[in-house]
């Protein structure tokens, strides 16, 4: 019997292979595929939308490959994991690249840290933007945190932060001078600003949890 497909969306992002290797290390229950095929996304049982690029390039890559509609359909009812720029793309709009309309699954915007963190705090706490490196996540209840200790460190690389219209979908926060939303989730969709595939054992555990998740 053929294994169910776990599709990793390929729109030209840079960290696809590392996500693939990390997922493959955590499960043999799925036919894990890197794909830019709308048909494969329609067939897949689970979807990962990774990211490591500017939002304009992300949206242009998805559009050029006709992946927007299959993604929107998947977000309605399939377990979906969005990584780094992935959850930013799920919002309505991003301020990056002079403003880009995004997928709009969640109401909200991606905004530059300069809008959130005052120059005084940046200077006093010697905060560097982009936010690069290990930082802690304060968890709110969600199945994908199972077995992951509270305040675990994950690896971040970003200059823009998630600003959802509703705080109800925030299931993880991180401090960079001030608290910001680092993880959003609702129903079958989970979006992490950090890179689980670069986050050692806690990141791998989150990916394992995703392969087992029954939202």
């Amino acid at each position: 019997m053929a294994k169910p497909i776990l599709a990793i969306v390929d729109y030209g992002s840079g960290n696809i292979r590392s996500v693939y290797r990390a997922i493959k290390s955590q499960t043999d229950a799925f036919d894990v595929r890197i794909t830019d095929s709308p048909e494969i996304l329609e067939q897949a049982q689970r979807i990962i939308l990774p990211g490591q690029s500017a939002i304009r390039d992300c949206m242009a890559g998805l559009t050029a490959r006709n992946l927007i509609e299959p993604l929107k359909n998947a977000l309605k009812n399939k377990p979906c994991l969005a990584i780094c720029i992935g959850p930013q793309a799920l919002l309505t709009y991003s301020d990056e690249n002079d403003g880009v309309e995004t997928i709009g699954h969640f109401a909200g915007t991606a905004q530059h840290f300069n809008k959130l963190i005052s120059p005084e705090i940046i200077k006093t706490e010697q905060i560097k933007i982009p936010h690069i490196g290990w930082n802690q996540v304060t968890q709110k209840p969600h199945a994908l945190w199972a077995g992951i200790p509270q305040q675990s460190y994950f690896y971040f690389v970003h200059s823009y932060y998630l600003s959802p219209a509703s705080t109800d979908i925030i299931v993880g926060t991180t401090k960079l001078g001030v608290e910001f939303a680092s993880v959003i989730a609702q129903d079958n969709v989970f979006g992490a600003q950090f890179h689980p595939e670069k986050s050692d054992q806690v990141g791998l555990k989150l990916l394992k949890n995703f392969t087992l998740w029954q939202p």
Side-chain angles (χ1 to χ4, degrees):
M1 181 180 295
K3 294 180 180 180
I5 296 171
L6 190 160
I8 300 172
V9 183
D10 179 9
Y11 56 85
S13 176
N15 70 323
I16 297 281
R17 286 289 168 187
S18 58
V19 174
Y20 176 84
R21 288 192 295 268
I23 279 286
K24 288 284 287 182
S25 76
Q26 297 305 302
T27 184
D28 59 3
F30 289 91
D31 175 8
V32 182
R33 301 190 194 182
I34 296 173
T35 184
D36 63 0
S37 164
E39 291 76 22
I40 296 299
L41 290 193
E42 295 284 3
Q43 296 170 23
Q45 278 70 41
R46 290 173 192 262
I47 306 278
I48 296 180
L49 177 63
Q52 192 168 294
S53 62
I55 194 67
R56 179 183 291 158
D57 294 337
C58 170
M59 294 306 298
L62 291 170
T63 301
R65 293 164 175 80
N66 297 314
L67 297 175
I68 299 291
E69 287 307 313
L71 258 180
K72 285 183 175 181
N73 290 335
L75 290 163
K76 294 175 184 176
N77 52 32
K78 297 178 182 180
C80 295
L81 171 63
I83 296 171
C84 192
I85 206 169
Q88 295 186 15
L90 298 186
L91 297 171
T92 313
Y93 188 83
S94 173
D95 287 347
E96 190 176 7
N97 302 128
D98 298 320
V100 176
E101 290 188 7
T102 42
I103 292 170
H105 182 74
F106 295 126
T109 60
Q111 300 179 6
H112 196 276
F113 274 122
N114 288 341
K115 285 190 174 181
L116 181 69
I117 311 171
S118 70
E120 292 77 16
I121 291 176
I122 289 174
K123 183 178 180 180
T124 302
E125 300 194 18
Q126 297 183 319
I127 291 168
K128 294 184 178 179
I129 300 170
H131 175 216
I132 300 175
W134 297 88
N135 206 339
Q136 291 173 291
V137 175
T138 300
Q139 304 167 15
K140 295 184 180 181
H142 194 279
L144 264 62
W145 295 129
I148 299 174
Q150 183 66 270
Q151 301 297 328
S152 287
Y153 281 86
F154 293 86
Y155 192 80
F156 290 82
V157 183
H158 62 124
S159 298
Y160 290 76
Y161 70 96
L162 306 168
S163 182
S166 171
T167 58
D168 292 344
I169 69 170
I170 298 173
V171 297
T173 60
T174 297
K175 187 174 182 182
L176 189 67
V178 297
E179 292 283 325
F180 69 92
S182 53
V183 189
I184 56 176
Q186 189 175 49
D187 300 327
N188 55 296
V189 181
F190 187 97
Q193 182 66 71
F194 56 77
H195 288 272
E197 77 282 4
K198 298 180 180 179
S199 297
D200 202 35
Q201 294 305 308
V202 291
L204 293 177
K205 176 61 175 171
L206 188 142
L207 293 177
K208 177 70 172 180
N209 289 345
F210 174 69
T211 69
L212 300 172
W213 185 29
Q214 298 295 336

